Coordinates of all heavy atoms in Angstrom, one line a residue:
R1 N -135.5 -188.7 -139.9 CA -136.7 -189.3 -139.3 C -137.2 -190.6 -139.9 O -137.9 -191.4 -139.3 CB -137.9 -188.2 -139.4 CG -137.6 -186.9 -138.6 CD -137.7 -187.2 -137.1 NE -137.4 -186.0 -136.4 CZ -136.2 -185.8 -135.7 NH1 -135.3 -186.7 -135.8 NH2 -136.0 -184.7 -135.1
A2 N -136.9 -190.8 -141.2 CA -137.3 -192.1 -141.8 C -136.6 -193.2 -141.1 O -135.6 -193.1 -140.4 CB -136.9 -192.0 -143.3
P3 N -137.2 -194.4 -141.2 CA -136.6 -195.6 -140.5 C -135.1 -195.7 -141.0 O -134.8 -195.6 -142.2 CB -137.4 -196.8 -141.1 CG -138.8 -196.2 -141.4 CD -138.5 -194.8 -141.9
H4 N -134.2 -195.9 -140.0 CA -132.8 -195.9 -140.3 C -132.0 -196.6 -139.3 O -132.4 -196.8 -138.2 CB -132.3 -194.5 -140.5 CG -132.4 -193.7 -139.2 ND1 -133.5 -193.0 -138.8 CD2 -131.4 -193.5 -138.3 CE1 -133.3 -192.4 -137.6 NE2 -132.0 -192.7 -137.3
R5 N -130.8 -196.9 -139.7 CA -129.7 -197.3 -138.8 C -128.5 -196.5 -139.2 O -128.1 -196.4 -140.3 CB -129.4 -198.8 -138.9 CG -130.5 -199.7 -138.6 CD -130.1 -201.2 -138.8 NE -129.0 -201.6 -137.9 CZ -129.0 -202.8 -137.3 NH1 -130.0 -203.6 -137.4 NH2 -128.0 -203.1 -136.5
V6 N -127.9 -195.8 -138.2 CA -126.7 -194.9 -138.5 C -125.5 -195.5 -137.7 O -125.6 -195.7 -136.5 CB -127.0 -193.5 -138.1 CG1 -125.7 -192.7 -138.3 CG2 -128.1 -192.9 -138.9
H7 N -124.5 -195.9 -138.5 CA -123.2 -196.3 -137.9 C -122.2 -195.2 -138.0 O -121.9 -194.8 -139.1 CB -122.7 -197.6 -138.6 CG -121.3 -198.0 -138.1 ND1 -121.1 -198.6 -137.0 CD2 -120.1 -197.7 -138.7 CE1 -119.8 -198.8 -136.8 NE2 -119.2 -198.3 -137.9
E8 N -121.7 -194.7 -136.9 CA -120.6 -193.8 -136.9 C -119.3 -194.5 -136.9 O -119.0 -195.3 -136.0 CB -120.7 -192.8 -135.8 CG -121.9 -191.9 -135.8 CD -121.9 -190.9 -134.7 OE1 -120.8 -190.3 -134.5 OE2 -123.0 -190.7 -134.1
W9 N -118.4 -194.2 -138.0 CA -117.2 -194.9 -138.1 C -116.3 -194.7 -136.9 O -116.2 -193.6 -136.3 CB -116.4 -194.4 -139.3 CG -115.2 -195.2 -139.6 CD1 -115.1 -196.3 -140.4 CD2 -113.9 -195.0 -139.1 NE1 -113.8 -196.8 -140.4 CE2 -113.0 -196.0 -139.6 CE3 -113.4 -194.0 -138.2 CZ2 -111.7 -196.1 -139.3 CZ3 -112.0 -194.1 -137.8 CH2 -111.2 -195.1 -138.4
S10 N -115.7 -195.8 -136.5 CA -114.7 -195.8 -135.4 C -113.7 -196.9 -135.6 O -114.2 -198.1 -136.0 CB -115.4 -195.9 -134.0 OG -114.4 -196.2 -133.0
A11 N -112.4 -196.7 -135.3 CA -111.5 -197.8 -135.5 C -111.7 -198.9 -134.5 O -111.2 -200.0 -134.6 CB -110.1 -197.2 -135.3
A12 N -112.5 -198.6 -133.4 CA -112.7 -199.5 -132.3 C -113.9 -200.4 -132.5 O -114.2 -201.3 -131.8 CB -112.7 -198.8 -131.0
T13 N -114.7 -200.1 -133.6 CA -115.9 -200.9 -133.8 C -115.9 -201.5 -135.2 O -115.2 -201.1 -136.1 CB -117.2 -199.9 -133.7 OG1 -117.0 -198.9 -134.7 CG2 -117.2 -199.3 -132.3
T14 N -116.7 -202.6 -135.3 CA -116.8 -203.3 -136.5 C -117.6 -202.5 -137.5 O -118.7 -201.9 -137.2 CB -117.6 -204.6 -136.3 OG1 -116.8 -205.4 -135.4 CG2 -117.7 -205.4 -137.6
N15 N -117.1 -202.3 -138.7 CA -117.7 -201.5 -139.7 C -118.7 -202.3 -140.5 O -118.4 -203.4 -141.1 CB -116.7 -200.9 -140.7 CG -117.2 -199.8 -141.5 OD1 -118.4 -199.7 -141.8 ND2 -116.3 -199.0 -142.0
P16 N -120.0 -201.9 -140.6 CA -121.0 -202.7 -141.4 C -121.0 -202.4 -142.9 O -121.9 -202.8 -143.6 CB -122.3 -202.2 -140.8 CG -122.0 -200.8 -140.4 CD -120.6 -200.7 -140.0
Y17 N -120.0 -201.6 -143.3 CA -119.9 -201.2 -144.7 C -120.1 -202.3 -145.7 O -121.0 -202.2 -146.6 CB -118.5 -200.6 -145.0 CG -118.2 -199.9 -146.3 CD1 -118.6 -198.6 -146.5 CD2 -117.6 -200.7 -147.3 CE1 -118.3 -198.0 -147.8 CE2 -117.4 -200.1 -148.6 CZ -117.7 -198.7 -148.8 OH -117.4 -198.2 -150.0
A18 N -119.4 -203.5 -145.6 CA -119.5 -204.6 -146.5 C -120.9 -205.2 -146.4 O -121.5 -205.6 -147.5 CB -118.5 -205.6 -146.2
T19 N -121.5 -205.3 -145.2 CA -122.8 -205.9 -145.1 C -123.9 -205.0 -145.7 O -124.8 -205.4 -146.4 CB -123.1 -206.1 -143.6 OG1 -122.1 -206.9 -143.0 CG2 -124.5 -206.8 -143.4
Y20 N -123.8 -203.7 -145.5 CA -124.7 -202.8 -146.1 C -124.7 -202.8 -147.6 O -125.8 -202.8 -148.3 CB -124.4 -201.3 -145.6 CG -124.8 -201.0 -144.2 CD1 -125.4 -202.0 -143.4 CD2 -124.6 -199.7 -143.7 CE1 -125.8 -201.7 -142.1 CE2 -125.0 -199.4 -142.4 CZ -125.6 -200.4 -141.6 OH -125.9 -200.1 -140.3
L21 N -123.5 -202.9 -148.2 CA -123.4 -203.0 -149.6 C -124.0 -204.3 -150.1 O -124.6 -204.4 -151.2 CB -122.0 -202.9 -150.1 CG -121.3 -201.5 -150.0 CD1 -119.8 -201.6 -150.4 CD2 -122.0 -200.5 -151.0
A22 N -123.8 -205.4 -149.4 CA -124.2 -206.7 -149.8 C -125.8 -206.8 -149.8 O -126.3 -207.6 -150.7 CB -123.6 -207.8 -149.0
V23 N -126.4 -206.2 -148.9 CA -127.9 -206.4 -148.8 C -128.7 -205.2 -149.4 O -129.9 -205.3 -149.4 CB -128.3 -206.6 -147.3 CG1 -127.5 -207.7 -146.7 CG2 -128.0 -205.3 -146.5
A24 N -128.1 -204.2 -149.8 CA -128.8 -203.0 -150.2 C -129.6 -203.2 -151.5 O -129.1 -203.8 -152.5 CB -127.8 -201.8 -150.4
D25 N -130.8 -202.7 -151.6 CA -131.5 -202.7 -152.8 C -131.1 -201.5 -153.7 O -131.3 -201.5 -154.9 CB -133.0 -202.6 -152.5 CG -133.5 -203.8 -151.6 OD1 -133.3 -204.9 -152.1 OD2 -134.0 -203.5 -150.5
T26 N -130.7 -200.4 -153.0 CA -130.2 -199.2 -153.7 C -129.1 -198.6 -152.8 O -129.0 -198.9 -151.6 CB -131.3 -198.1 -153.7 OG1 -132.4 -198.6 -154.5 CG2 -130.9 -196.8 -154.4
V27 N -128.1 -198.0 -153.5 CA -127.0 -197.3 -152.8 C -127.0 -195.9 -153.1 O -127.0 -195.5 -154.3 CB -125.7 -198.0 -153.1 CG1 -124.5 -197.4 -152.3 CG2 -125.7 -199.5 -152.9
I28 N -126.9 -195.0 -152.1 CA -126.6 -193.6 -152.2 C -125.3 -193.3 -151.6 O -125.0 -193.7 -150.5 CB -127.7 -192.8 -151.6 CG1 -129.1 -193.0 -152.2 CG2 -127.4 -191.3 -151.6 CD1 -130.3 -192.4 -151.6
V29 N -124.4 -192.6 -152.4 CA -123.1 -192.3 -151.9 C -122.8 -190.8 -152.1 O -123.2 -190.2 -153.1 CB -122.1 -193.2 -152.7 CG1 -122.2 -193.1 -154.2 CG2 -120.6 -192.9 -152.2
T30 N -122.1 -190.2 -151.2 CA -121.7 -188.8 -151.4 C -120.5 -188.8 -152.3 O -119.7 -189.7 -152.4 CB -121.3 -188.2 -150.0 OG1 -120.2 -188.9 -149.4 CG2 -122.4 -188.1 -149.1
G31 N -120.4 -187.7 -153.2 CA -119.6 -187.7 -154.3 C -118.1 -187.3 -154.0 O -117.4 -187.0 -155.0
D32 N -117.7 -187.3 -152.8 CA -116.4 -186.9 -152.4 C -115.3 -188.0 -152.6 O -114.1 -187.7 -152.7 CB -116.3 -186.4 -151.0 CG -116.9 -187.5 -150.0 OD1 -118.1 -187.6 -150.0 OD2 -116.1 -188.2 -149.4
S33 N -115.8 -189.2 -152.7 CA -114.9 -190.4 -152.8 C -115.2 -191.2 -154.0 O -116.3 -191.9 -154.0 CB -115.0 -191.2 -151.5 OG -114.3 -192.5 -151.7
I34 N -114.3 -191.2 -155.0 CA -114.6 -192.1 -156.1 C -114.5 -193.6 -155.8 O -115.1 -194.4 -156.4 CB -113.7 -191.7 -157.3 CG1 -114.2 -192.3 -158.6 CG2 -112.2 -192.1 -157.0 CD1 -113.4 -191.8 -159.9
S35 N -113.7 -193.9 -154.7 CA -113.6 -195.3 -154.3 C -114.9 -195.8 -153.8 O -115.3 -196.9 -154.1 CB -112.5 -195.4 -153.3 OG -111.2 -195.1 -153.8

């Protein structure tokens, strides 16, 4: 419910991953991927 943008990964769409990392003030990551 909080203000948000949700991108669902798809091989057919541009991934905003790099942009989100570049502009984020804080990052929260699930602990399943050390990468």
Side-chain angles (χ1 to χ4, degrees):
R1 296 287 178 259
H4 66 274
R5 298 178 65 138
V6 176
H7 171 82
E8 293 187 44
W9 186 93
S10 167
T13 59
T14 302
N15 193 337
Y17 185 87
T19 304
Y20 285 0
L21 285 175
V23 303
D25 301 302
T26 301
V27 183
I28 296 173
V29 55
T30 58
D32 54 283
S33 169
I34 193 171
S35 295

